[in-house]
Amino acid sequence: MLKTKYAGQGSAAQKYDLITALGSHALSLNKTEQRRVLRLITLVTARYNWGRNELAVGQREIARLWSCDERTVKREMARFRALGWLTVKRQGARGRVTEYQMELADVMNDTRATWEAVGPDFALRVEGAPEQTSVVPFPAGTQSVQSPPPDISDGMEWSLAQAVLHQEDQARFGAWLQALTRGERAGGRLTLRAPSRFHARYVQNNMAREVLLACQAVDSSVSEVLITG
């Protein structure tokens, strides 16, 4: 399911994902279409009210922002409406500009073809993977749940590093790091295995530095940690 709420916790990252999707989509188009999407990106970045899901800007102001005339603004806004990317929330009247809202799901669906060009994790993050619902976000109160300490009896660097990570944040350890198992060790590179590709990507993208530092704290010869799923 596409994420279409761009306010509240995590909204900043979601806005960046929206802009990234639009930018990648634009670069796959001809120059005329590229300029059109760039105009929308600039308008949304500068003037969109995310809290109210609203764009309320007059044509004259948009023309200044886009360095064009008001006829071009009228034509381009009509084009965005035809695409289904913008809809009229409240029609303008004397002394009041027309208010628009972005149809975020439609925008993201229309840019889907270029998501893979951004990176293999992009679609998972934007669309949401089934595995995610079981571990994030943390339900209220889970931060206080006690996670059992890891078994360090084998004396391996990853077991000892897990003990360090457990002490730092038990809730995050229980949700993400406890399930990682030790794989191969080649020189300074340590490979950890996650139960799924999504799990591996999430840890690699969000916790890789903490994992590496914990490993180095117990074994200074570790120079790289690779997480696979």
Side-chain angles (χ1 to χ4, degrees):
M1 180 178 181
L2 286 172
K3 298 176 181 178
T4 58
K5 183 179 179 182
Y6 287 69
Q9 185 177 11
S11 62
Q14 292 171 14
K15 292 168 192 172
Y16 279 122
D17 286 341
L18 172 67
I19 299 303
T20 299
L22 282 168
S24 178
H25 173 68
L27 292 170
S28 71
L29 304 174
N30 61 50
K31 290 183 178 180
T32 300
E33 295 294 331
Q34 284 180 2
R35 183 167 59 180
R36 175 172 290 126
V37 179
L38 176 60
R39 283 170 170 164
L40 180 63
I41 290 172
T42 305
L43 180 59
V44 167
T45 303
R47 292 289 182 263
Y48 203 77
N49 185 327
W50 295 101
R52 298 178 59 182
N53 192 21
E54 179 182 280
L55 177 68
V57 187
Q59 290 185 3
R60 184 176 301 176
E61 185 178 355
I62 296 174
R64 284 199 304 270
L65 181 64
W66 288 354
S67 298
C68 65
D69 56 37
E70 292 183 43
R71 291 179 60 188
T72 300
V73 171
K74 187 175 181 179
R75 183 176 65 248
E76 294 288 66
M77 296 299 280
R79 176 62 174 167
F80 293 135
R81 290 174 61 183
L83 288 170
W85 291 6
L86 291 179
T87 55
V88 174
K89 190 174 183 180
R90 187 165 129 181
Q91 188 64 51
R94 187 169 183 176
R96 188 182 70 222
V97 301
T98 299
E99 298 173 4
Y100 299 90
Q101 72 176 26
M102 287 189 70
E103 298 301 330
L104 301 168
D106 290 333
V107 172
M108 296 305 290
N109 279 326
D110 287 349
T111 63
R112 188 187 296 268
T114 60
W115 287 2
E116 286 299 321
V118 178
D121 62 319
F122 187 76
L124 287 172
R125 185 170 69 251
V126 172
E127 195 165 15
E131 296 94 333
Q132 185 180 15
T133 58
S134 64
V135 288
V136 291
F138 292 122
T142 56
Q143 288 87 343
S144 61
V145 175
Q146 296 296 308
S147 175
D151 180 8
I152 61 173
S153 60
D154 61 8
M156 302 298 291
E157 77 284 276
W158 175 234
S159 298
L160 299 175
Q162 281 186 306
V164 173
L165 293 164
H166 176 268
Q167 291 178 348
E168 292 177 349
D169 190 331
Q170 292 189 29
R172 187 167 66 167
F173 174 82
W176 293 105
L177 304 175
Q178 190 174 32
L180 301 181
T181 58
R182 187 180 188 276
E184 298 79 16
R185 173 73 185 269
R189 174 184 287 182
L190 173 64
T191 300
L192 303 176
R193 296 194 182 97
S196 70
R197 292 174 60 191
F198 172 76
H199 195 121
R201 287 171 180 164
Y202 187 89
V203 175
Q204 189 74 57
N205 291 338
N206 296 278
M207 306 175 197
R209 178 171 172 76
E210 292 94 326
V211 170
L212 176 60
L213 290 176
C215 290
Q216 291 177 334
V218 299
D219 185 344
S220 60
S221 65
V222 176
S223 58
E224 180 183 2
V225 175
L226 179 63
I227 302 166
T228 63

